[in-house]
Amino acid sequence: MRRVRKRPYGSFLVLLLAALYFLVPVAASLWFTVDDPGKGITFGAYARGLRDEGMATSLGLSIRLGLATVALGLLLMVPTMVVVTLRLPRLRRVVEVLCMVPLIMPPVALVAGVSTVLSWEQDLADTPLWATFQALHNKSFPLVLVLVYTVMSLPFLYRSLDGGLRGTDLKTLVEASRSLGASRLGTLCRVVVPNLRPAIVSGAVLSLAMVLGEYTVASVLGFEPFSVWMVHVGDYEAQLSVAAAMLSLLITWGLLLLLTNLAGGRTRNRNRTGNRRKTTV
């Protein structure tokens, strides 16, 4: 007797509700940017945004801050996680708790402490540390934001790397590489990192998205990346602010897709090479 397969109407309903939840605000924002009661459909807001020098400057600053944050976070977390996994497994829980602290700490509390430290600048004017403080809050590229964003991205990097390490036989890979004469740095760069590439890309994507949308820390410290610029523009030209938000959404999706495809493309190439070798054998 042929068994009648039930159609997953419940799953379709959940997907429909999720699609409406995400797409309706985006569609409403898009309509707001192109609808002009006197002229009809127009893309004037987007044209003004692309010509605005403040938009290009703030967007470039946000992208540079995001890339610097991702680079610093990976340089800090990848070696740390590898050492903890191989040499210090008892400290895994301690590292996890420390990395999760930014999730329970409000950004306002974090930036209040940073502001207090930056206020020491005048007291250290006669010391070599004064130049360090100047570099930290340089308006063209504030390093202090990179440091704060790196701390805020630790939960995303830890969860991604921890999942990748749990799915990899890291000890066997490292021992095999070392037995073949590779140095520790060579093993990390040529063996560990390629095997952790999906986890690294996942953490990088989440960190980059966090930096591009962060507002509180940059606003309180007096800097103007893209998110702060959008809020300032919204005070006197709402349509341009929403148009900038739509453009930033497209740019963010483009960057995330680029990173994901870079990692996925290399993984697909490696799988194809492995399948060819199996076929040849």
Side-chain angles (χ1 to χ4, degrees), residues 69-101:
T69 300
V70 169
L72 181 59
L74 291 177
L75 285 175
L76 176 67
M77 288 302 296
V78 172
T80 301
M81 295 291 291
V82 171
V83 170
V84 169
T85 302
L86 293 177
R87 305 292 184 188
L88 304 168
R90 293 183 178 179
L91 292 182
R92 181 191 290 268
R93 189 63 63 187
V94 177
V95 175
E96 180 181 5
V97 171
L98 291 176
C99 291
M100 292 299 115
V101 168

Side-chain angles (χ1 to χ4, degrees), residues 181-202:
S183 64
R184 287 189 175 87
L185 182 60
T187 300
L188 179 66
C189 297
R190 301 175 64 181
V191 177
V192 175
V193 170
N195 281 279
L196 293 178
R197 182 176 289 117
I200 290 174
V201 172
S202 176

Side-chain angles (χ1 to χ4, degrees), residues 55-266:
M55 177 179 171
T57 304
S58 59
L59 183 58
L61 176 60
S62 290
I63 292 175
R64 285 185 289 140
L65 289 173
L67 295 178
T69 300
V70 169
L72 181 59
L74 291 177
L75 285 175
L76 176 67
M77 288 302 296
V78 172
T80 301
M81 295 291 291
V82 171
V83 170
V84 169
T85 302
L86 293 177
R87 305 292 184 188
L88 304 168
R90 293 183 178 179
L91 292 182
R92 181 191 290 268
R93 189 63 63 187
V94 177
V95 175
E96 180 181 5
V97 171
L98 291 176
C99 291
M100 292 299 115
V101 168
L103 284 181
I104 60 175
M105 178 184 294
V108 173
L110 179 62
V111 75
V114 174
S115 299
T116 303
V117 174
L118 291 178
S119 66
W120 299 344
E121 179 183 359
Q122 294 303 322
D123 299 333
L124 301 173
D126 298 330
T127 68
L129 290 176
W130 186 79
T132 304
F133 277 83
Q134 289 289 311
L136 282 176
H137 58 78
N138 185 359
K139 288 288 184 182
S140 61
F141 188 72
L143 287 175
V144 64
L145 285 185
V146 176
L147 299 177
V148 175
Y149 289 161
T150 301
V151 173
M152 295 173 66
S153 68
L154 288 181
F156 310 113
L157 291 174
Y158 177 85
R159 283 301 175 203
S160 301
L161 294 174
D162 186 56
L165 287 169
R166 289 180 185 275
T168 305
D169 190 357
L170 189 64
K171 188 175 181 180
T172 302
L173 291 174
V174 172
E175 287 179 352
S177 176
R178 296 285 291 162
S179 66
L180 293 174
S183 64
R184 287 189 175 87
L185 182 60
T187 300
L188 179 66
C189 297
R190 301 175 64 181
V191 177
V192 175
V193 170
N195 281 279
L196 293 178
R197 182 176 289 117
I200 290 174
V201 172
S202 176
V205 166
L206 293 174
S207 301
L208 184 61
M210 185 275 295
V211 173
L212 293 179
E214 201 284 328
Y215 171 79
T216 305
V217 175
S219 178
V220 173
L221 291 179
F223 302 111
E224 194 176 51
F226 192 59
S227 57
V228 179
W229 178 84
M230 281 193 299
V231 174
H232 288 171
V233 169
D235 291 339
Y236 56 88
E237 193 166 355
Q239 198 175 30
L240 175 59
S241 176
V242 179
M246 299 303 296
L247 288 175
S248 74
L249 191 63
L250 291 176
I251 293 171
T252 304
W253 279 353
L255 288 174
L256 302 185
L257 287 175
L258 177 63
L259 289 175
T260 305
N261 285 332
L262 284 177
R266 299 208 173 184

Side-chain angles (χ1 to χ4, degrees), residues 6-34:
K6 294 183 179 179
R7 296 192 176 185
Y9 293 110
S11 302
F12 289 142
L13 180 61
V14 172
L15 289 176
L16 178 62
L17 292 176
L20 290 175
Y21 183 81
F22 287 107
L23 294 180
V24 168
V26 175
S29 300
L30 182 62
W31 178 253
F32 177 73
T33 58
V34 299

